[in-house]
């Protein structure tokens, strides 16, 4: 609260609600995705939120760089950008593979810098301690790999049919999927920040129960939001998801660290 003690207005103090401190929201894309996914989010989120789309190597402005295929080097690559915000309020959002990246960055920020995010938001990814039991996608032979991409329902048919484009995309997709497929959770204390997890009601890749297990990774509050749609409800139901995300980031705005 802000107390008005201006002597010109007499001795009675009046109170006004304090405006939420600016909150940086770092956003991480799904496998094969780029920072462009989040280009228009600023206009849909509250004014106090500043969206910071993060670009992994191999795409967008970093397309000439070699993509990482393991979680350790990828987190080390992206950490400096997030660490710049360690003295101000920040939150992390990651979708599918981006959820895993955001989680490991949150852990690193808490353990190494003592500055966890004020909130971790994840979508369409199983809880980190749950190992994937299916055959790894990243190592499939080319024809099977392309069919697997088609089954994800996240790559347009026009892109799948464009050989020149696929030649560029497949190395990035294989590297990104390798990050997820080779990841092994190393147990540690849970995060001290709240976690909000989003799940698709008809997600054939990640069921709701495995998303709900994210609750194990926080000692603070946890919430699960199930949204109608498949694995890419981020696109199908984006307005609904952003409305809920706005509520989450506004409710916690007054509790951000100094």
């Amino acid at each position: 609260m802000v107390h008005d003690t201006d002597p010109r207005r007499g001795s009675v103090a009046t109170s006004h609600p304090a405006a939420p401190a600016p909150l940086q929201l770092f956003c991480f894309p799904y496998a094969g995705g780029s920072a462009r996914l989040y280009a228009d989010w600023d206009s849909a989120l509250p004014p106090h939120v500043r969206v910071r789309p993060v670009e992994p190597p191999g795409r967008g402005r970093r397309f000439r760089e070699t993509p990482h295929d393991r979680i350790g080097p990828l987190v080390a690559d992206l950490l400096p950008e997030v660490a710049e915000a360690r003295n101000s309020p920040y939150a992390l959002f990651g979708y599918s593979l981006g959820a895993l990246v955001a989680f490991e960055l949150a852990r690193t920020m808490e353990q190494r810098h003592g500055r966890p995010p004020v909130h971790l938001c994840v979508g369409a990814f199983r809880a980190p301690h749950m190992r994937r039991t299916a055959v790894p996608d990243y190592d499939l032979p080319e024809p099977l790999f392309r069919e697997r991409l088609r089954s994800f329902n996240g790559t347009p048919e026009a892109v799948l049919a464009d050989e020149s484009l696929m030649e560029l995309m497949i190395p990035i997709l294989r590297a990104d999927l390798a990050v997820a497929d080779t990841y092994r959770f190393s147990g540690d204390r849970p995060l001290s920040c709240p976690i909000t997890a989003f799940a698709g009601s008809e997600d054939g890749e990640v069921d709701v129960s495995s998303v709900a297990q994210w609750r194990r990774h926080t000692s603070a509050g946890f919430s699960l939001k199930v949204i109608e749609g498949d694995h890419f409800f981020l696109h199908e139901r984006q307005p609904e998801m952003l409305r809920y995300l706005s509520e989450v980031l506004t409710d916690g705005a007054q509790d951000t660290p100094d």
Side-chain angles (χ1 to χ4, degrees):
M1 303 289 284
V2 176
H3 297 279
D4 187 352
T5 56
D6 189 337
R8 292 172 299 177
R9 300 183 183 179
S11 59
V12 178
T14 58
S15 298
H16 308 284
L23 176 68
Q24 297 187 69
L25 177 64
F26 292 91
C27 298
F28 305 88
Y30 50 67
S34 74
R36 190 171 59 179
L37 285 171
Y38 306 109
D40 60 350
W41 276 30
D42 263 322
S43 61
L45 292 173
H48 74 279
V49 177
R50 303 289 182 267
V51 177
R52 296 279 301 274
V54 178
E55 192 78 271
R59 67 219 78 195
R61 60 180 174 80
R62 303 185 66 185
F63 78 98
R64 294 187 184 277
E65 300 177 44
T66 302
H68 299 293
D69 61 3
R70 295 296 186 271
I71 191 68
L74 180 55
V75 168
D77 183 304
L78 302 179
L79 180 62
E81 185 170 351
V82 177
E84 288 178 0
R86 63 181 177 270
N87 295 321
S88 60
Y90 75 97
L92 305 178
F93 174 89
Y95 196 85
S96 195
L97 172 63
L100 182 61
V101 175
F103 171 68
E104 285 296 330
L105 282 165
R107 295 176 77 196
T108 303
M109 286 294 293
E110 178 156 6
Q111 294 167 12
R112 188 178 302 177
H113 298 291
R115 298 293 293 191
V118 298
H119 213 108
L120 171 63
C121 301
V122 295
F125 200 81
R126 64 190 180 278
H129 66 280
M130 302 183 72
R131 292 185 63 171
R132 190 171 186 272
T133 56
V135 175
D137 292 319
Y138 77 97
D139 206 25
L140 290 172
E142 192 79 3
L144 293 178
F145 186 75
R146 291 188 182 224
E147 283 305 311
R148 188 72 177 108
L149 294 180
R150 182 173 282 106
S151 72
F152 284 149
N153 198 32
T155 307
E157 280 295 327
V159 174
L160 290 168
D162 188 327
E163 285 301 320
S164 60
L165 188 54
M166 289 303 291
E167 285 181 10
L168 294 173
M169 287 298 301
I170 283 179
I172 297 170
L173 286 160
R174 283 193 184 275
D176 284 358
L177 292 173
V179 172
D181 287 344
T182 62
Y183 175 82
R184 298 293 180 267
F185 174 70
S186 177
D188 205 329
R189 61 183 181 275
L191 289 166
S192 63
C193 65
I195 295 177
T196 294
F198 297 88
S201 61
E202 306 299 327
D203 190 337
E205 301 297 326
V206 185
D207 60 42
V208 173
S209 63
S210 65
V211 179
Q213 290 298 313
W214 277 93
R215 70 175 67 249
R216 168 176 163 174
H217 296 281
T218 175
S219 60
F222 174 81
S223 59
L224 173 67
K225 177 66 173 177
V226 180
I227 296 179
E228 183 179 348
D230 63 15
H231 189 65
F232 287 95
F233 61 84
L234 172 73
H235 300 303
E236 302 163 359
R237 309 284 291 190
Q238 183 169 296
E240 178 184 350
M241 198 195 76
L242 289 179
R243 282 196 300 272
Y244 193 81
L245 186 60
S246 295
E247 293 173 8
V248 166
L249 297 177
T250 299
D251 289 346
Q254 299 292 351
D255 301 322
T256 56
D258 294 333

